Amino acid sequence: DAKTTQPNSMESNEEEPVHLPCNHSTISGTDYIHWYRQLPSQGPEYVIHGLTSNVNNRMASLAIAEDRKSSTLILHRATLRDAAVYYCILREPQQGAQKLVFGQGTRLTINP
Amino acid sequence: DAGITQSPRHKVTETGTPVTLRCHQTENHRYMYWYRQDPGHGLRLIHYSYGVKDTDKGEVSDGYSVSRSKTEDFLLTLESATSSQTSVYFCAIKGPSGTYNEQFFGPGTRLTVL
């Protein structure tokens, strides 16, 4: 599986936008980019995914570089509840179990 | 929230004893997974199942076995627990292939092996 690189930690203020970067220079042409997050003492939860185009949903936006070697998860207006570890994961579009390989992620701290 | 529960939620056991963790889902999803998470690390896949009686190994399967006798239950067994298996264990489920289906995770089981 192709590897992703994320900063270990980031800090932001409540009600401000947050941009979480992810580098994936060895991404293949068919790998999907996924983001999950893990709130304290909980299991991970799905945030968003994309292939080539930027994506938006109710939780966040995903901006994908034109060469697909990096991507950015954007939280438009952070709240205290967004404090979590965010994982950027690459997945091949194969049929079947679609196993996820988690790295260490970025621990996001939100200041009130 | 996806209907996925894990039991027990906490367990303390001694080295050498057998331990079974249960994952139960009410979503009728085909795929089920067991992960472990150690301090400061992301999740690592132990075993997964792609149907009743169909299972396969993940990244860190040594020392673990699994069984799935019905769609809703996926059991993880430590035949003889060791201190290195002290961890938080998460179960996950996923719908059928075709379109992308995210994995839904359970609340986790904290296992301590003394």
Side-chain angles (χ1 to χ4, degrees):
Chain A
D1 294 307
K3 195 176 170 64
T4 64
T5 303
Q6 300 177 250
N8 288 333
S9 62
M10 291 185 64
E11 197 169 328
S12 187
N13 298 319
E14 199 175 9
E15 299 187 3
E16 290 184 357
V18 180
H19 291 236
L20 295 162
C22 181
N23 286 319
H24 28 78
S25 58
T26 60
I27 191 171
S28 76
T30 54
D31 283 345
Y32 281 81
I33 302 160
H34 308 272
W35 286 82
Y36 279 73
R37 73 178 185 180
Q38 187 173 19
L39 302 173
S41 301
Q42 294 188 27
E45 62 177 353
Y46 167 81
V47 177
I48 201 166
H49 79 281
L51 183 61
T52 55
S53 303
N54 295 344
V55 184
N56 300 297
N57 67 19
R58 64 175 179 81
M59 289 181 71
S61 296
L62 176 60
I64 302 172
E66 199 168 330
D67 64 4
R68 298 202 341 116
K69 294 186 176 182
S70 65
S71 60
T72 302
L73 180 71
I74 302 166
L75 307 179
H76 293 287
R77 199 160 170 264
T79 69
L80 296 177
R81 200 194 171 274
D82 291 320
V85 178
Y86 287 78
Y87 297 99
C88 171
I89 302 168
L90 301 183
R91 183 184 62 78
E92 297 175 2
Q94 78 274 19
Q95 296 295 309
Q98 299 173 351
K99 295 173 282 183
L100 299 177
V101 179
F102 287 80
Q104 294 199 17
T106 296
R107 182 174 298 279
L108 177 64
T109 299
I110 304 295
N111 300 314
Chain B
D1 290 339
I4 177 169
T5 57
Q6 295 183 228
S7 59
R9 294 291 314 279
H10 302 270
K11 186 170 182 67
V12 179
T13 191
E14 295 189 349
T15 298
T17 59
V19 176
T20 295
L21 308 183
R22 179 183 184 232
C23 178
H24 179 78
Q25 60 146 332
T26 58
E27 304 295 324
N28 201 35
H29 279 351
R30 178 180 178 185
Y31 297 97
M32 298 185 75
Y33 311 77
W34 276 109
Y35 294 85
R36 63 176 286 174
Q37 185 173 34
D38 301 303
H41 294 273
L43 281 71
R44 292 182 291 173
L45 182 65
I46 304 171
H47 281 279
Y48 65 98
S49 169
Y50 47 97
V52 174
K53 297 194 189 324
D54 292 324
T55 65
D56 205 349
K57 296 179 179 180
E59 178 187 2
V60 290
S61 59
D62 287 347
Y64 301 95
S65 62
V66 291
S67 65
R68 192 167 177 201
S69 60
K70 44 187 179 176
T71 299
E72 56 266 35
D73 289 326
F74 192 32
L75 304 181
L76 177 70
T77 297
L78 292 64
E79 300 289 347
S80 177
T82 68
S83 58
S84 65
Q85 294 175 313
T86 293
S87 190
V88 181
Y89 291 86
F90 289 99
C91 176
I93 62 176
K94 189 185 80 68
S97 299
T99 58
Y100 177 82
N101 300 100
E102 66 260 35
Q103 291 187 19
F104 297 97
F105 286 80
T109 294
R110 183 173 296 276
L111 176 67
T112 302
V113 183
L114 301 176

